[in-house]
Amino acid sequence: MRIIITEDYKAMSTMAARLVAGQLYLKPKSVLGLATGSTPIGLYHNLIDIHRTIGLDFSEAISFNLDEYIGINRNDVHSYHYFMYENLFNSINIKPENVFIPNGCAADLEAECRHYDNLITSMGGIDLQILGIGNNAHIGFNEPDVKFEATTHKVKLDNETIAANSRFFSSVEAVPKYAISMGIRTIMLAKKIILLANGKNKAEAIYKTIYGGITPKAPASILQLHQDVVIIVDREAASLLPHDSTHNCILSV
Ligand code: GLP
């Protein structure tokens, strides 16, 4: 694992955008794994900037999103589909036919999950996966006690996740209870992974991810077994890391 501690959210987002841009520069046909939530918004806005200023080209890129709520229509403002178009896809030149997001309204959810994994495989696998992290160390919607061998599947959201995500809905009751999520195995098959976290409320999850034992109780801890993970965090999310790890790697960009 490489850990980059940045001064703040802005620096975290800039750093992540440069790594994604570098990936696309070297391999325009990259398969990107993308995440939702408030954390990657700064990264996406930076990518839009790089696209506009120096023409970062997404015309050959392919993207797969990590997850989607079950029962929410793709045009609903609460869907992750809507989020991705609003925060990134509408402002870059990615082709709609190269954008893949699980369909949370599929009649046969099991078939949808199998289809999603097969599509990823048929595109050659994910080159670069972006991850945020939940307060309980979930990645995608892989909640504590996840099965590490799971591929894309239907998940029941933890009450903690429902409470955390209720800020995007009118009430806690309005938050869906289920989602489709890439499984841990799907995520671990990505060639490179960048995990982003900012803010004090992510500090414990980041500590467990890097220094805790590898356990399904902290799903992100499995990343310790991945060969190419970069964790980019701001000072607050890094605040529980041992002093040594915060000493030499504070970068301002
Ligand atoms: C959701 C998403 C995750 C995301 C997490 C953290 O539950 N499924 O992919 O990482 O929330 O969200 P935020 O970045 O808003 O803290």
Side-chain angles (χ1 to χ4, degrees), residues 77-97:
V77 294
H78 298 106
S79 75
Y80 283 167
H81 186 279
Y82 185 94
F83 173 99
M84 288 308 301
Y85 275 86
E86 192 68 10
N87 287 295
L88 182 63
F89 298 148
N90 284 338
S91 307
I92 57 174
N93 65 333
I94 195 164
K95 294 186 179 129
E97 62 268 32

Side-chain angles (χ1 to χ4, degrees), residues 1 6-7 26 52 64 73 105 113 128 140-141 147 157 167 172 180 182 187 205 208 218 232:
M1 281 179 160
T6 57
E7 193 58 43
L26 290 175
R52 287 188 180 146
F64 284 91
N73 188 280
C105 289
C113 294
L128 175 59
F141 268 133
K147 289 189 172 54
L157 305 187
R167 68 191 193 281
V172 180
I180 291 181
M182 278 186 199
I187 294 170
K208 286 182 183 164
I232 313 179

Side-chain angles (χ1 to χ4, degrees), residues 36-39 66-67 80 132-134 138 140-141 161 165 167 202:
T36 49
S38 44
T39 309
L66 275 171
D67 45 19
Y80 283 167
I133 189 167
H138 75 219
F141 268 133
T161 301
N165 290 3
R167 68 191 193 281
K202 298 291 172 69

Side-chain angles (χ1 to χ4, degrees), residues 167-180:
R167 68 191 193 281
F168 300 113
F169 291 80
S170 54
S171 65
V172 180
E173 291 69 39
V175 184
K177 309 287 177 283
Y178 293 91
I180 291 181

